[in-house]
Amino acid sequence: MSKTPRIAVVGSANIDLTTFTREFPKSGETIFGQKFDLGFGGKGANQAVAARLCGADVLMVARVGTDLFGPATVENFRRFGIDVSQVQQVEAVSTGVAPIFVDGSGNNRIIVVKGANDLLTPAAVEAAEPLLKTVDWIVLQFEIPLETVAYTIRFARKHGIRSILNPAPAQPVEIKNLADLDYFVPNESEAEAISGIPVRTLEDAKRCAHKLLAQGIRSVILTLGANGALLAGNQGMEHVPAFPMKTVDTTGAGDAFIGSFAVFLGEGFSEREAIRRANLYAGLSTTGIGTQKSFYKRDQFEAEWKAREPAPTSAGS
Ligand code: RIB
């Protein structure tokens, strides 16, 4: 397991403005929140940081503004040791921002204003192709134009690069554009929005994954929060349980899962083992506030992994 995976994230970068509140205001009402946090976020950026903290070499392909947030975002990537040669600062558009509201149970509601992320066009990916051709994995999400996602998936398949898509935030999508993917990784609400099948139980998740596979997706990993993840592909379906956690903020847990999963798989772990490990990495991220700042470094993760073995067995699969 010594190979250092080389991972590219073609995706979003946002600034997260997180308010912790016990309740939400009604229309016209002003209430007090309990705490505020400003941090670097964006699903793409979070996945890149998770992959980097887990030990991968990471290339980020993204667009930010020239406002206060743009240069700070680039500097943040640099501090992690992420290749920023394909992160361009674009004039006259804001950096992506995400007002986030976290309730007392650690659950979040997020509004993303995409700003510069919308300027990550297929031409931007084309310009990055010489570097992209050198990676083992490309990771994508839906906070950039969908035509860029489709273009990049085709590019990856053409060049034998494995690809992972996190369809977040959920949007109507032509499934045929996703047929070349290696892994499609939605959470329950994204899976429901895309398949039309509500996902409340493990049985629902299986039905939903079955439909997605029948529509032409190769492998589905449906993340189920505190219930772990369901792996579904041509070998069948397997439920991989999560680890119990003292959760304070779930924001970015899905990103932690995807970034770390790509690394574990790239290092040579089996799919099941990579998911078990990613479940723990994501779970640990929910014990701190914010997104990137709650992600564990690899040595911290390995200590937790060692302490928690043997892993729980599946109850419902
Ligand atoms: O998945 C969490 C992320 O969603 C946040 O960092 C926010 O920026 C939005 O993209």
Side-chain angles (χ1 to χ4, degrees), residues 15-294:
I15 293 293
D16 291 347
L17 305 115
T18 306
T19 298
F20 295 82
T21 179
R22 283 195 274 272
E23 55 194 349
F24 294 97
K26 299 183 200 67
S27 175
E29 187 188 26
T30 303
I31 61 168
F32 291 116
Q34 276 64 55
K35 200 165 52 182
F36 176 77
D37 183 69
L38 181 69
F40 294 100
K43 296 179 195 304
N46 295 343
Q47 292 164 17
V49 168
R52 179 69 190 140
L53 288 174
C54 285
D57 287 335
V58 179
L59 166 72
M60 185 75 202
V61 182
R63 291 293 178 269
V64 295
T66 51
D67 51 11
L68 275 180
F69 295 150
T73 299
V74 175
E75 186 48 34
N76 180 57
F77 284 133
R78 270 206 194 99
R79 273 193 304 110
F80 281 107
I82 291 172
D83 182 340
V84 291
S85 59
Q86 302 304 315
V87 181
Q88 232 178 59
Q89 296 178 51
V90 190
E91 300 271 353
V93 64
S94 69
T95 300
V97 292
I100 300 176
F101 303 92
V102 178
D103 66 20
S105 327
N107 294 316
N108 60 64
R109 296 170 191 215
I110 304 179
I111 301 171
V112 171
V113 181
K114 289 198 281 174
N117 294 305
D118 251 344
L119 301 179
L120 192 67
T121 58
V125 177
E126 205 181 340
E129 282 182 7
L131 275 174
L132 283 173
K133 279 181 188 159
T134 68
V135 305
D136 309 307
W137 289 90
I138 297 180
V139 180
L140 294 144
Q141 332 70 35
F142 274 179
E143 285 181 339
I144 57 171
L146 294 189
E147 57 163 343
T148 306
V149 173
Y151 176 89
T152 310
I153 292 170
R154 283 196 303 275
F155 166 84
R157 176 62 49 186
K158 185 167 156 209
H159 294 280
I161 301 161
R162 306 226 272 161
S163 59
I164 303 178
L165 171 66
N166 169 219
Q171 289 159 71
V173 62
E174 294 235 39
I175 297 282
K176 70 171 169 29
N177 287 338
L178 310 181
D180 280 336
L181 276 173
D182 289 284
Y183 293 97
F184 182 70
V185 190
N187 67 13
E188 299 104 316
S189 65
E190 292 145 11
E192 172 173 345
I194 290 166
S195 71
I197 297 181
V199 180
R200 309 274 179 274
T201 64
L202 185 56
E203 285 315 307
D204 292 345
K206 288 180 179 170
R207 263 195 303 281
C208 177
H210 193 269
K211 180 167 178 189
L212 291 167
L213 293 175
Q215 288 178 317
I217 304 244
R218 288 162 197 243
S219 281
V220 178
I221 300 173
L222 213 163
T223 58
L224 302 165
N227 291 322
L230 176 73
L231 167 65
N234 56 14
Q235 311 284 324
M237 296 202 194
E238 184 172 9
H239 175 223
V240 186
F243 295 79
M245 290 290 155
K246 288 204 172 86
T247 295
V248 297
D249 179 5
T250 59
T251 316
D255 304 328
F257 179 94
I258 287 162
S260 64
F261 171 71
V263 178
F264 298 136
L265 213 52
E267 287 177 344
F269 288 103
S270 68
E271 284 176 335
R272 186 180 192 282
E273 198 62 5
I275 293 173
R276 282 180 64 217
R277 288 179 150 254
N279 274 346
L280 178 60
Y281 191 81
L284 291 169
S285 80
T286 70
T287 63
I289 66 165
T291 56
Q292 298 171 23
K293 62 180 78 160
S294 69

